[in-house]
Amino acid sequence: MDSQCVSILPRVCGVLLVSGSSLPDDTSLEKLLDWFTTVAQTGPSLLEACPCLVDFVSKVAFNYASGSSILSFTLKLTGLIGASEDGFKVLKECSVLKLVFNPQHWQEAGLWEDPCLRIGWIQGLKMILQHSEALSFFAQADLIEPLLQLQTDPSLFVASAANQTLAQVLLLCQSLSSVGHNGSKNRDLEHNSVSMETTQNYSGIITKVSEYLNKSVVLKEISQLPGSQQILRLLAMLLVRVGPPLRDTLLLAVMNSLEELVTTSCSQLTVPLLDVILAANSGLRDDCVPKQRLIRLLWAMLNMKKPDDVMQAAAAVLRSHQSDPALSAHSARVLLLPLDIVTGVSLLDENSTEGELRILITEQLKRKSCISMICVCLSNIPQITLMASDRLPCPQRLIVTAVLLLLRLCCVDSSSSSPGCVEVVRFITGNSKVQKCALEALLVLSKSPGVKMVLVEVFKVLTEYLNSPSSDPSVLQKSYQVVIKWVGVCPDLSCITDQLREGFIQAVRKRACDTRWEARDSTVEFLGHLVEVPSCWTFTEQETEPLDVLLGGRRFTVPLLKEALQDPESYVRASSISALAQTLAPSWQDGTALTQEQEDIVAQLQEVLFQDSEGFARRAAVKYFTAWFSACSSPSSCWLLMQSMPTVLSQGVADLDWEVKLHTLELAELLLDRAFPDPSPSHSYAVMSDQDHRLPIAGHPNSCCC
């Protein structure tokens, strides 16, 4: 520890005492507290290093004129000092603890109403609760009462801090209780038995917390709604963090209140209530009574009269991977209902028990709020596809068909009509949120059995989206990702006809000239990613690249990417350089002779290094040469590559962008490795890089991983 800092500490404390509320910068107090924390964790005891702190804390406790920031700092500092048993004893002997952590003391001074002071009180309390002596003090001073009152404080920061501190109290109680039965090697808990007094303190705290939770969970009037939401969030956190038997105690204490709360059908409490039930449900044995009561609660929530609440409950059940197969199967049927109704595709059997819910959801879909319901349905399709086939409401191929029909209904330029709920079409047409959710679902559904049967339909729908002028750039990007995914999992592309290919080529060419730079950027990125898709089979039963099947090969993509090097947007220029490297990499590996077009590209990239005003493009240019050198089977035989190296290296190291310099050093390292292949000991200035010398562009805001 810096002795000079310690030597001036008494003067710093003196300044804080006389500054009152005129301290210009509160952050200096946080930095000072951080320094004290480091001292306490790494050096001798805090009081041994800084003995003046006890006097400082005592004086501030009696000085009501101090500002709230200094008071809050002092409360936290007191907790930090008392976190060690030695420090705790010193504070106790000085009668500082009872004064500092007595809420009534601050209330009488008229300071308790300040959230800053309450935060300091809570965090100081959390710091000090590290050992059994602190827990005894906490219990004897009955500090659990004010701490419980702060659980629903009007200040969200105060309430959140109080929640965390209550969890700390319970965890300490739990650890002390386990020591009482099992022993511990910890310094705090090194005795094999806990005193009767500590055990009583533990039981008293748990009882008060249980009673408080049981009473606070129930919603008596609508004005208590924010408090109920906060208590449910607290309860969910506690059930996750504490273990048995304490978790079982808390659960049994609130079970009746949870059952009562479910019957209120308050939509604002649905999500936090589900979090509590699922947190309690995890880890319980299937045959225990609490588990069975929780399952009944979930069934009750799945049978509520409000469709949005039922959808939320079903989604939560699937995400939690419940062990009850009937519950999961019912949740899947509930979630597929909106898709069934909107598209008219029969995803659920006629004997399904969701008849009343179907009527309620149909009415909901006739209102604008249907958007969120449809998105919940679509975003949970990945969870549905993970279910065992015998538990699925229908074959996955039918879900694919329904999603494709929904995408057509959402497309502005589509002429499709809904055989299902006609009223919903006016809300979902052109809605990018629904479109992206549906495309995301289609990504996952690419793994479904028998996808080749619907590949043509998928391709047609995606081409429609790429052709539509109303498609949002984010929708276009997602469409490209779906193309890559589906082509990658379908090794047989013999169903792609010349007509389909021509339509797709026109769509890609159109998007490469889009007025929106995001659309152009997604297009050139797609061209690069398509090269990396594994080979496939065509109708001639020959193995070929998907790039050739969909776009006619490099004779289409290279000129288009070369033109994108002149794009006015730097992100597009950078993406085009990366895509060119991906596109030309196979020819580099094969040692194919360079064409005039490729020589022109090299000249353009050198111009980018010299003249481009944006770092993104210059970084990509250096990485292009790095990828070229890495992929080339014999770099020395490629005259243009070796001729370009001096220019690239000299210009790269002189660049003002540090990332350009870094990539240039990586290129120089590759050159040295090839020139001196024998292993040599590394030195302190060696460039260490475990990155693959490929794309994507660092820092690219629109980079997508297809």
Side-chain angles (χ1 to χ4, degrees):
M1 184 178 61
D2 191 348
S3 58
Q4 189 176 7
C5 294
V6 175
S7 65
I8 65 171
L9 189 58
R11 281 179 286 170
V12 172
C13 291
V15 170
L16 293 178
L17 282 170
V18 300
S19 64
S21 59
S22 61
L23 197 67
D25 184 13
D26 292 351
T27 58
S28 59
L29 295 175
E30 294 300 323
K31 293 176 181 176
L32 184 58
L33 190 66
D34 290 341
W35 182 70
F36 285 139
T37 304
T38 303
V39 171
Q41 291 174 346
T42 60
S45 71
L46 189 56
L47 286 184
E48 183 181 337
C50 314
C52 64
L53 293 181
V54 173
D55 183 59
F56 169 74
V57 169
S58 301
K59 289 179 179 178
V60 172
F62 287 101
N63 185 9
Y64 295 156
S66 297
S68 59
S69 59
I70 293 178
L71 290 171
S72 181
F73 163 78
T74 305
L75 286 162
K76 297 173 189 174
L77 177 59
T78 305
L80 184 61
I81 295 171
S84 69
E85 290 185 347
D86 293 339
F88 183 85
K89 289 177 182 177
V90 173
L91 292 174
K92 193 173 181 180
E93 291 170 0
C94 299
S95 301
V96 171
L97 282 176
K98 287 185 178 180
L99 186 67
V100 168
F101 287 111
N102 183 3
Q104 189 175 356
H105 169 71
W106 303 112
Q107 288 169 353
E108 291 172 354
L111 299 170
W112 188 251
E113 295 302 314
D114 192 324
C116 185
L117 185 130
R118 299 200 300 276
I119 279 281
W121 185 86
I122 293 168
Q123 293 183 344
L125 204 58
K126 184 180 180 184
M127 289 179 182
I128 206 171
L129 286 167
Q130 304 295 327
H131 44 78
S132 59
E133 289 294 319
L135 183 63
S136 296
F137 162 74
F138 177 83
Q140 291 166 7
D142 201 23
L143 296 182
I144 187 63
E145 291 293 343
L147 181 59
L148 290 175
Q149 291 172 10
L150 292 172
Q151 299 301 310
T152 55
D153 193 272
S155 167
L156 291 178
F157 295 106
V158 173
S160 177
N163 293 167
Q164 296 296 327
T165 302
L166 182 60
Q168 171 77 10
V169 171
L170 293 178
L171 288 170
L172 183 58
C173 288
Q174 180 175 261
S175 63
L176 291 172
S177 176
S178 64
V179 168
H181 295 90
N182 306 318
S184 171
K185 295 181 180 180
N186 231 325
R187 185 175 181 274
D188 285 342
L189 313 169
E190 58 188 3
H191 304 294
N192 287 337
S193 62
V194 181
S195 67
M196 181 65 68
E197 181 185 10
T198 304
T199 304
Q200 291 173 348
N201 291 336
Y202 161 78
S203 302
I205 291 171
I206 297 302
T207 300
K208 289 184 178 181
V209 172
S210 300
E211 291 173 352
Y212 171 79
L213 292 172
N214 183 46
K215 179 180 65 175
S216 303
V217 162
V218 179
L219 181 66
K220 296 182 178 65
E221 53 186 49
I222 197 65
S223 61
Q224 296 178 335
L225 184 59
S228 293
Q229 292 172 324
Q230 185 67 27
I231 291 298
L232 287 172
R233 285 192 288 268
L234 167 65
L235 183 55
M237 179 188 69
L238 294 177
L239 291 172
V240 168
R241 294 185 62 178
V242 303
L246 178 53
R247 185 183 62 185
D248 300 338
T249 301
L250 295 177
L251 180 57
L252 289 172
V254 299
M255 185 65 79
N256 291 335
S257 296
L258 292 177
E259 291 172 344
E260 182 179 344
L261 195 59
V262 169
T263 61
T264 63
S265 299
C266 180
S267 297
Q268 293 93 326
L269 297 179
T270 298
V271 173
L273 181 56
L274 282 166
D275 290 340
V276 169
I277 296 172
L278 295 175
N281 199 27
S282 61
L284 291 177
R285 299 192 320 273
D286 291 341
D287 58 345
C288 69
V289 174
K291 175 88 167 185
Q292 295 166 3
R293 291 179 70 180
L294 289 170
I295 293 295
R296 286 199 296 270
L297 278 180
L298 288 173
W299 275 110
M301 296 192 75
L302 287 171
N303 287 294
M304 291 186 292
K305 301 301 181 184
K306 297 179 180 179
D308 286 328
D309 294 346
V310 175
M311 294 286 291
Q312 292 285 358
V317 168
L318 280 193
R319 287 196 303 271
S320 64
H321 305 291
Q322 289 297 310
S323 56
D324 188 317
L327 192 65
S328 299
H330 181 74
S331 299
R333 291 197 299 272
V334 167
L335 288 166
L336 287 176
L337 257 176
L339 191 60
D340 179 296
I341 295 169
V342 171
T343 63
V345 178
S346 298
L347 302 177
L348 308 176
D349 57 80
E350 296 181 359
N351 296 325
S352 179
T353 58
E354 294 82 25
E356 184 179 357
L357 183 59
R358 177 182 288 271
I359 296 173
L360 294 172
I361 289 181
T362 302
E363 290 302 313
Q364 181 84 14
L365 289 171
K366 296 177 182 178
R367 297 191 288 270
K368 193 173 183 179
S369 57
C370 68
I371 299 298
S372 60
M373 178 179 289
I374 294 173
C375 289
V376 169
C377 162
L378 293 169
S379 60
N380 281 279
I381 284 179
Q383 298 296 333
I384 294 175
T385 59
L386 294 176
M387 296 174 62
S389 57
D390 60 335
R391 290 289 174 183
L392 281 173
C394 62
Q396 290 189 29
R397 184 173 53 82
L398 275 181
I399 301 177
V400 176
T401 302
V403 171
L404 288 173
L405 182 51
L406 179 65
L407 280 167
R408 281 209 162 98
L409 295 173
C410 292
C411 187
V412 174
D413 302 319
S414 176
S415 58
S416 299
S417 58
S418 172
C421 184
V422 179
E423 294 87 347
V424 74
V425 176
R426 61 193 176 106
F427 297 121
I428 63 174
T429 300
N431 188 286
S432 60
K433 186 177 180 181
V434 176
Q435 291 170 342
K436 284 185 286 187
C437 284
L439 288 167
E440 192 66 45
L442 202 56
L443 267 174
V444 177
L445 289 166
S446 62
K447 301 175 183 178
S448 303
V451 290
K452 183 179 180 295
M453 299 174 63
V454 291
L455 180 60
V456 170
E457 290 304 312
V458 171
F459 207 72
K460 286 180 179 178
V461 169
L462 295 174
T463 303
E464 284 180 21
Y465 270 84
L466 293 175
N467 262 318
S468 175
S470 61
S471 290
D472 186 82
S474 60
V475 173
L476 294 173
Q477 184 187 50
K478 188 64 68 177
S479 300
Y480 282 131
Q481 291 176 0
V482 177
V483 171
I484 293 292
K485 187 68 174 179
W486 276 75
V487 169
V489 299
C490 293
D492 186 355
L493 297 181
S494 59
C495 57
I496 304 298
T497 63
D498 291 341
Q499 183 179 1
L500 286 173
R501 181 187 303 107
E502 187 59 35
F504 189 69
I505 289 175
Q506 291 178 4
V508 172
R509 184 179 285 115
K510 181 190 295 184
R511 289 298 157 221
C513 303
D514 200 294
T515 56
R516 300 162 297 182
W517 74 265
E518 299 95 338
R520 301 195 303 274
D521 189 61
S522 295
T523 301
V524 295
E525 280 190 336
F526 163 72
L527 295 178
H529 289 304
L530 188 58
V531 179
E532 299 177 335
V533 178
S535 299
C536 60
W537 296 92
T538 64
F539 65 93
T540 59
E541 296 187 359
Q542 292 181 339
E543 189 175 7
T544 186
E545 295 181 7
L547 176 64
D548 296 328
V549 177
L550 300 184
L551 295 173
R554 289 167 179 77
R555 66 178 181 274
F556 171 79
T557 59
V558 172
L560 200 128
L561 292 171
K562 185 180 175 184
E563 186 177 342
L565 292 174
Q566 308 297 327
D567 196 279
E569 176 54 57
S570 63
Y571 294 137
V572 180
R573 297 196 298 274
S575 293
S576 64
I577 295 171
S578 298
L580 279 168
Q582 290 169 296
T583 303
L584 298 176
S587 63
W588 296 337
Q589 294 167 351
D590 297 340
T592 307
L594 297 179
T595 63
Q596 183 61 48
E597 188 174 49
Q598 292 175 5
E599 293 180 16
D600 293 342
I601 290 171
V602 172
Q604 283 184 267
L605 294 181
Q606 291 181 2
E607 285 183 21
V608 168
L609 280 173
F610 279 100
Q611 299 178 6
D612 202 298
S613 60
E614 298 290 341
F616 290 111
R618 300 198 304 276
R619 294 170 205 162
V622 176
K623 294 178 76 174
Y624 176 96
F625 287 100
T626 304
W628 187 4
F629 192 89
S630 299
C632 194
S633 55
S634 178
S636 58
S637 63
C638 184
W639 65 270
L640 184 57
L641 174 60
M642 301 311 296
Q643 188 183 69
S644 304
M645 282 301 168
T647 303
V648 175
L649 292 172
S650 61
Q651 189 62 27
V653 295
D655 200 285
L656 297 178
D657 186 289
W658 72 268
E659 289 192 58
V660 174
K661 291 184 177 182
L662 176 63
H663 297 319
T664 305
L665 288 173
E666 290 175 345
L667 176 57
E669 183 186 23
L670 277 176
L671 280 165
L672 290 173
D673 287 344
R674 290 288 181 95
F676 306 102
D678 294 332
S680 58
S682 60
H683 52 82
S684 57
Y685 296 101
V687 178
M688 303 302 292
S689 174
D690 58 355
Q691 293 180 349
D692 198 5
H693 296 293
R694 297 177 60 168
L695 317 179
I697 306 157
H700 194 307
N702 195 37
S703 178
C704 73
C705 181
C706 299

